[in-house]
Amino acid sequence: MKLLMHMCCAPCSTYLVSSLRKDGINVTGLFYNPNIHPIDEYQRRLDTVNEYSKIVDLDVRFIDDYMEDVWHNYNGVDDSRCKMCYSIRLDMAAKYAKENGYDAYTTSLLVSPYQKHDLIKELGEKFANKYDVDFYYYDFRPYFREGQAMAREMNLYRQKYCGCIISYNERIKHLNK
Ligand code: SF4
């Protein structure tokens, strides 16, 4: 199977790439995360994906986009903000998979116990239907720690907040308590 894997970041991708390859799946990465702020953090996560791709010889496609205004001006509650965030990224991943001849697409967001897993699954299937491509679903969450350990071994940068400016501000507030 030719699978496109949306990569939210390098650490969350480690377990998926290793496990999918063991199952004989041909994985290509896609970095598309316009939610990440500020710009130096965005660049750092992109660079880390690049660094990781060289270590494990992974072909990664980069769609470089930084939607500053969308998140700066967003004042909705957590659930709707994350729904918008997942939708933007999964819509692009499904579209890219369809337009570039992949059998299916998936996302490294499925490994994180900190994300809204059921919502990601629902939206993954929604955009699969929209573009007529399969969504590869698996609950990778039990392997999150294993993936983080792999990232540590590779000496990859591991971020301390989800990504958007709102999650960044929440992190700063928490540190200043
Ligand atoms: S908390 Fe994470 S998933 Fe939710 S909007 Fe921010 S970056 Fe996106």
Side-chain angles (χ1 to χ4, degrees), residues 9-43:
C9 63
C12 284
S13 304
T14 54
Y15 182 82
L16 269 83
V17 170
S18 151
S19 151
L20 293 165
R21 280 178 167 173
K22 273 184 201 146
D23 288 342
I25 295 173
N26 178 1
V27 189
T28 301
L30 174 72
F31 183 90
Y32 176 65
N33 298 294
N35 54 314
I36 301 168
H37 290 80
I39 190 70
D40 53 346
E41 176 72 18
Y42 173 81
Q43 194 58 48

Side-chain angles (χ1 to χ4, degrees), residues 35-37 45 71 74 78-86 89 109 114-116 120 161-168 170:
N35 54 314
I36 301 168
H37 290 80
R45 294 192 200 184
W71 270 269
Y74 196 78
D78 193 41
D79 266 4
S80 62
R81 182 180 91 229
C82 297
K83 186 172 184 180
M84 172 189 76
C85 181
Y86 297 144
R89 294 184 282 167
L109 289 163
Y114 304 110
Q115 298 292 339
K116 297 168 176 49
I120 293 164
Y161 63 98
C162 192
C164 63
I165 196 73
I166 303 154
S167 61
Y168 171 78
E170 283 166 358

Side-chain angles (χ1 to χ4, degrees), residues 123-175:
L123 293 168
E125 281 157 5
K126 174 183 160 182
F127 293 112
N129 284 336
K130 179 177 173 186
Y131 294 105
D132 189 27
V133 64
D134 285 342
F135 180 60
Y136 183 99
Y137 171 75
Y138 189 80
D139 185 357
F140 289 101
R141 287 176 294 180
Y143 307 101
F144 177 73
R145 304 253 163 253
E146 206 176 312
Q148 293 297 307
M150 290 164 78
R152 234 184 342 263
E153 267 171 37
M154 291 180 210
N155 212 13
L156 298 174
Y157 166 63
R158 287 173 301 131
Q159 65 272 4
K160 301 285 182 286
Y161 63 98
C162 192
C164 63
I165 196 73
I166 303 154
S167 61
Y168 171 78
N169 288 337
E170 283 166 358
R171 164 89 185 151
I172 299 294
K173 213 189 300 174
H174 180 75
L175 287 177

Side-chain angles (χ1 to χ4, degrees), residues 6 30 33 46 49 60-61 65 94-95 103 107 128 155 169:
H6 164 258
L30 174 72
N33 298 294
L46 187 153
V49 164
V60 180
R61 311 296 158 88
D65 195 2
K95 183 170 182 279
D103 300 311
T107 173
N155 212 13
N169 288 337

